[in-house]
Every structure is written in structure tokens, then in C-alpha cells.
Amino acid sequence: MPPPLDIIKVAIEWPGANAQLIEIDQKRPLASIIKEVCDGFSLPNPEYYAFRYADGTQLYITEQSRAARQILERIQGHSTDGRLEAMKELAKLSADTTFATEFINMEGVTVLTRLVEGGTKLLSHYSEMLAFTLTAFLELMDHGIVSWDIVSLTFIKQIAGFVSQPSVDVSILQRSLAILESMVLNSQALYHKIADEITVGQLICHLQVSNQEIQTYAIALINALFLKAPEDKRQEKPLNLMDVPVSEMANTFVQKHLRSIILNHVIRGNRPIKTEMAHQLYVLQVLTFNLLEERMMTKMDSNDQGQRDCIFELRRIAFDAESDSGGISGGGTEKRKAMYSKDYKMLGFTNHVNPAMDFLQTPPGMLALDNMLYLAKHHQDTYVRIVLENSSREDKHECPFGRSAIELTKMLCEILQVGELPNEGRNDYHPMFFTHERSFEEFFCICIQLLNKTWKEMRATAEDFNKVMQVVREQITRALTSKPNSLEQLKNKLRSLSYTEILRLRQSERLSQDDFQSKPIVELREKIQPEILELIKQQRLNRLCEGSSFRKTGNRRRQERFWFCRLALNHKVLHYGDLEDNVQGEVPYESLQEKIPVSDIKAVVTGKDCPHMKEKSALKQNKEVLELAFSILYDPDETLNFIAPNKYEYCIWIDGVNALLGREMNSELARTDMDTLLSMEMKLRLLDLENIQIPEVPPPIPKEPSSYDFVYHYG
């Protein structure tokens, strides 16, 4: 009977001794095998020894390298069941950086790509194995150990083929979309190769399915292609979507159809929208608005006749100057200039002699003029009403349309992140922007009417311009918070947010801003503060004992990986370990294999000081991630790196670790909690003193009585 597959015979050499041929059970721990060999050679301290290959690269054998080599041999074996089990194991182990390094050094990625390149056979008979192969490949590449440029054109064609097939296993499709996304984001050369293999229509087909996971992966790939789309592909031209290469992703015709399908099949077809889908919709929204960046950063050229004609068109529509084309006879040039200057002043331009000068600031540049012209042409009645209503006033309360439109455009660009890269972790997309082909311009038209209305409600003058803009910004941001599904819903929300309502909301949200400043109140506050601080500290430590899940760094796939960390109940040890899924709630201490004694913790660092932020690429290193990153430094020179899921968890953990170290809790949340709790406690203690004037100084202490005979003694 042949020996079991786990039993192998190897020759082991030691200098000055004869080689030994021994049988090794590969299921045994490596340390146990080394001890047995050391005993055979009469070598003490087996923990000081390791195996090394005598041939080839002569690498040292570790538990990870041994596991990597075993799996590599098994996936190249002849047994179908054995290869499948090995591939399943590889898909799990590939998330470990040490294992991945060993496997990649053994040319494991090359083996996987060859298997995928022969994927037609696998897809027909062993789709499960192909799914695990793609999973392992994606995990290995996510570590960033090798460049994505190593993949061949054959591999790209095979992956693109899975995406373009009308019916393919969901797991294979998900991983194929994720692989293509990573290729596009990590290599410009691969982007061009992929652009030749996939059409817009093929990707849009995946948005029309009921599986939200597939839709999410498809939008993520669309966003990556959109981000890399060449500038010269953004013109308007009708196209047959099924034949359009993805390099045309930013074409306005393509965008129109894409927006319609996302609205009808994704936003309205999915309830509820999951977090990752919401993030991808937010990214697409930002990238769509970034198409306006060129106009936003373009200054007006006063010598450009076409641009000057746009300004003249604004004047013509507002004042219906039909006689202008007839000219003014004789010496009418100066009269014409004077008349134009008067009209431009009534239009609200700052420079009414040469209004082109108002469009030199970038942002908003020419985008402001585009918005004004859109309003004048598509909402002419509204435009004429706003201009004439203000130009006919003589009480210094007129709202300057030109200046307001320019500043409003700049404000909207800031609110909607025009010209900025999307932030990781944000998911505040707005469905209404997918409902209209010219959503930004329509948004401007609604907001300019709001500005004019608020100006009148505030009875503002030119000196109040900045105050009005602050109120309008607050009105817009409050309205967007409610996530209106349509532009009509936005209008209704803004109508309810009048200037009076904003004042009422500000008043109700003000947390006792006018606290008494008298000495007794100050002393009472100082007395209460340590109690509140201790309460906050205990809350933070209790929260750390409950634990939190964190996203693993360096993972750009849609199927994210997580790990969990929690503080021991005695506050002496931090327990942590990997999770299979992003669990909600507590994770038992027994399932968290790693731990750090609190006594070994030296410090907690944040933002750019974190080791894992210094290693990030420029694409990942944005403000949002930096604000959520922190690291625990502990002996001996080790770090535990975190990226908090949100700002709240970030503050909880920063405060909790600082509390463990006996340091000040200085997070933004700690300050807010202190203000809120202190204010509430002060109000409760002063409740009985309502409407009573508290003196600035304590009353004088009376003189001692001449005698104490007034004290009554009970007999």
C-alpha cells in the first residue's frame, strides 16, 4: 500500500555528519520536526535552528513558506478534488501578508494567471475552482508586493470575457469586475488594454440586474474608467452603446444613458441602498461634476468675441434691447457705451464698464457665466423677474444678480466638491442629481431664486452680502441633508427653510452659549468639570471593552476584510484578531487570538504620523482617510494600525487609549461631550435659581456677635 500523501521522505544534511533520510509527516508542526532532527544530530537548543533548501535559491523554511509550497504543489496536482480544496485554502490564506509574500516569491501568481488563461475549460466544468482562483489572485495582488503590469494581454482578454458573457457565475463576475477595477486604477497601460476589450453597453447591462452586489462592482469599475477617461473623449456625440469602448465613458451622450439606468435600476430599484453602493454612487456623482472643472478654472478672455456675446445676450434677454442692432446714428458710440454700462450695473456686475473682468476669478471662472446664461435661456421668466425686480429698486436693498450668481456658483462648487477627488468613506450621494441631464445648472437656478428670496427676507444691503451668502449656504446644506429624491422636493424643502426658520433652528441648537460668567457660576463649573471628565473616561473605556471592527488597510476590493479589537474587562490587555465578515456587536475574547498588554503601550499617533499612512500611495492618501487613521505604538517597536469606520469611532478609540495611558482626552468628540454634559448639569443645578439675579461677588461676611448667649439650651 502506498504511503499517505502527507508523509514524505527528505534528506537532511548537517556539516561534519552523514546525511539522514527521514520520513516527515507534513501535518506535524515545523518546530516539532526540527526538534526531532536536532535530537538525531545531538544538537541542543532546537529553537535556534531552521531548515533551508540545499538546492535552488536555498530559502529558509518557515511555517508560512512550507504552507505556501505545499499549496502550490497541490494546485498543480492531477487530482481535481485536491486542486479545488487547495484553491479554497489558498483563497483564505492569501489575505495574510507573510504567506502572500512567500507564495509570490515562489512564482505562485504566475501559476494562477496561467490557470485563469485556461479558464474556458474551468468555466465549463469547474466554475467553483475558477472563482476561488480569482479570489486568491485578487487577495495576493492587493498586498502591492508585485506590480499589476505583470499580467498578460491573454489574461486581460480572459477576465474581460467573463464580464462580457451574457451568463456567467455571479462569484466569477464579481471578482472579474473587481480585478479590472484594480488594473485600471493601478496602471495607465492596463487601462488602454482594457478599454479595447470592453464596451460601455456590456457594463451597463450589469446595472440592469437585481443583484445589488453586481451593480456595486459594475459602478466601481465604471468610476475607475471614468477617472481615467481622456479629456478628448468628453464631447457630445450620439453613439451605439453596445459598440462604444469604455474610453468614451465620460462622453456626455454616454453619461445621459448611464444616469437614466442608474436612476431607474439602481437607486429606485434597490431598497435599501447598502453602504458600499451609496459610496460608489457618491464617487460617480463627484466624478460627474468634475466634468465642470475645466470651465470652472477657465478665466474669461475679454478679447474673445464669443464670450463677450454671452454677456451681451444676458443684457439683451433682461432688457429686450431689440433696437441695439439698429445702432445709434452719428456720434452714438459713447451713448451706446453709457447705455450698456447702465444696463450692466442693473444686472449687478461689480465692473459695469467691462463686466468680463468679473469672470477672471477661478473658481468659478466661466462656469458662472454658463450658469447665468442657462438661467436666462431655460428659465427666462425667472431670470427677467429677478433682474428687473432688483434693478428697479431705489432703497439700497437691491440684490446684485451678477455678483450673487458668481459667488453662488463658487459656493455650489465647494459644496459638491467640483474639481476634487472623492473621499474614501463618504456616501452622501444625492438621488436628485441623477434625475436631470443638466442637474448642476438646474441646481443653480433653484438656489439663485433662494438667494434672492433670502436677501429680501433679511432686508439686506450691499454691506450684508457675505452674511446673506452664509445663510444661503446653511439653507442649502440643511436641505441636502434630507436627501431629496427630486429637484422639486429640493424646492419644497428650501421653501420651508426661510430666514426666520434658520434663526429658529440656530436658537434651538445653541447649547447655552450665554452661560453666566459670574464668579459663582465659574467656580461651580470648575467643581463639576472633573466629575464630567471621569464620566466621559468611563464611557470611553466601556466602549473599548465592547470593541469595534476595523477595515483592513490596503484593500481596494468591494468585498472588504475586517478585524476586531476590544479591551479586556480589567483594562489590562487589548485583544484583536481577523473577522470572516463585518460583524455587528461584540466578538468573544476567545476568538481574538492576538493581544497587547496595556503596560507595553507607549503612545498613540494619528494622521500622517501613522506608519501605514506614510506607506500609502498618493491615490489612497486623501484627507478623509488621514482623519480616520491612528496607530498604537507598543514595545518592542511594534505598531497596531487602525482606520476607523467613522469619525465617532475614531474619537472613541483615541480618547480611550489616551485614558488608559493617563493622558488628556483631547478629541473633538470629548470636547463636545464635555460641553454638552457640563451645560446640562449646570442647568439642572441652577434650575431653582431661574429668574434670580446671581451676584458677581459673594455677600460680605457679617461681624461675629459680641456674645453667643442667644443659643438656646434644652433642659
Side-chain angles (χ1 to χ4, degrees), residues 436-673:
H436 200 281
E437 182 181 345
R438 304 288 292 275
S439 58
F440 184 83
E441 290 87 344
E442 288 292 326
F443 187 40
F444 167 83
C445 294
I446 294 171
C447 292
I448 194 68
Q449 296 177 71
L450 169 72
L451 193 157
N452 189 60
K453 172 174 171 283
T454 303
W455 185 284
K456 290 189 290 185
E457 291 173 348
M458 295 177 67
R459 290 192 57 78
T461 63
E463 290 75 17
D464 301 318
F465 186 86
N466 291 332
K467 293 180 182 178
V468 176
M469 296 305 295
Q470 290 173 3
V471 173
V472 171
R473 176 186 282 269
E474 185 173 347
Q475 290 170 315
I476 294 171
T477 52
R478 285 182 183 273
L480 289 177
T481 302
S482 66
K483 285 189 175 294
N485 289 318
S486 65
L487 293 169
E488 193 61 37
Q489 287 186 14
L490 174 69
K491 289 180 185 178
N492 295 333
K493 183 64 179 178
L494 289 174
R495 285 193 196 102
S496 67
L497 289 171
S498 63
Y499 177 56
T500 304
E501 179 65 10
I502 291 295
L503 291 180
R504 189 191 68 78
L505 290 171
R506 287 178 175 178
Q507 183 69 23
S508 65
E509 293 171 357
R510 190 174 290 120
L511 295 173
S512 189
Q513 296 288 346
D514 302 322
D515 273 349
F516 300 115
Q517 296 301 317
S518 61
K519 186 176 179 181
I521 301 300
V522 172
E523 290 177 351
L524 178 60
R525 186 185 296 111
E526 290 174 351
K527 180 182 178 181
I528 296 174
Q529 201 159 349
E531 302 174 14
I532 302 297
L533 192 63
E534 182 62 24
L535 182 64
I536 295 173
K537 175 182 175 182
Q538 290 304 319
Q539 188 271 339
R540 298 297 194 265
L541 294 178
N542 290 340
R543 187 66 189 76
L544 262 62
C545 289
E546 294 174 6
S548 302
S549 64
F550 299 90
R551 180 164 49 87
K552 283 205 166 187
T553 58
N555 182 20
R556 58 170 61 253
R557 294 170 300 120
R558 305 279 66 78
Q559 190 66 37
E560 296 184 328
R561 298 186 66 85
F562 298 86
W563 62 286
F564 198 88
C565 186
R566 64 183 299 195
L567 178 66
L569 296 178
N570 60 8
H571 298 174
K572 292 184 178 181
V573 178
L574 275 177
H575 297 263
Y576 66 96
D578 292 342
L579 295 176
E580 290 296 328
D581 297 300
N582 186 18
V583 299
Q584 301 296 327
E586 291 186 1
V587 175
Y589 290 105
E590 299 77 26
S591 62
L592 303 175
Q593 302 300 321
E594 306 292 337
K595 61 184 179 179
I596 301 172
V598 172
S599 58
D600 288 350
I601 298 177
K602 296 187 290 186
V604 57
V605 294
T606 61
K608 293 182 179 179
D609 296 328
C610 298
H612 59 313
M613 288 296 101
K614 295 176 182 177
E615 299 168 0
K616 289 281 185 183
S617 65
L619 181 64
K620 293 182 181 178
Q621 203 171 36
N622 57 53
K623 183 179 178 182
E624 190 79 6
V625 175
L626 285 174
E627 289 179 349
L628 298 177
F630 64 97
S631 298
I632 292 177
L633 311 182
Y634 62 96
D635 289 327
D637 299 323
E638 298 287 342
T639 62
L640 186 60
N641 299 319
F642 300 74
I643 294 181
N646 50 57
K647 193 68 175 179
Y648 176 81
E649 289 293 332
Y650 170 87
C651 293
I652 289 289
W653 278 83
I654 291 295
D655 290 341
V657 177
N658 279 326
L660 286 173
L661 300 178
R663 298 173 185 170
E664 181 183 358
M665 296 182 293
N666 53 9
S667 75
E668 181 180 335
L669 182 63
R671 291 191 293 270
T672 302
D673 287 350

Side-chain angles (χ1 to χ4, degrees), residues 327-340:
I328 299 177
S329 60
T333 304
E334 292 301 322
K335 290 184 180 180
R336 182 191 296 272
K337 288 182 178 179
M339 182 176 64
Y340 286 180

Side-chain angles (χ1 to χ4, degrees), residues 236-301:
E236 170 74 65
K237 59 180 179 180
L239 302 162
N240 182 350
L241 294 182
M242 293 308 295
D243 299 328
V244 177
V246 290
S247 58
E248 300 275 0
M249 187 61 69
N251 176 278
T252 50
F253 180 80
V254 172
Q255 282 294 303
K256 183 192 305 182
H257 287 269
L258 179 61
R259 184 168 46 248
S260 173
I261 289 171
I262 287 178
L263 177 66
N264 294 315
H265 293 275
V266 179
I267 296 177
R268 292 175 178 169
N270 282 315
R271 291 293 185 272
I273 296 288
K274 295 181 181 178
T275 302
E276 186 54 39
M277 171 65 84
H279 172 67
Q280 292 303 328
L281 291 172
Y282 152 77
V283 172
L284 182 59
Q285 173 184 294
V286 172
L287 294 177
T288 302
F289 285 137
N290 279 352
L291 295 175
L292 303 170
E293 182 181 9
E294 182 180 355
R295 295 294 287 172
M296 181 183 74
M297 301 307 295
T298 300
K299 296 180 180 180
M300 185 163 190
D301 183 359

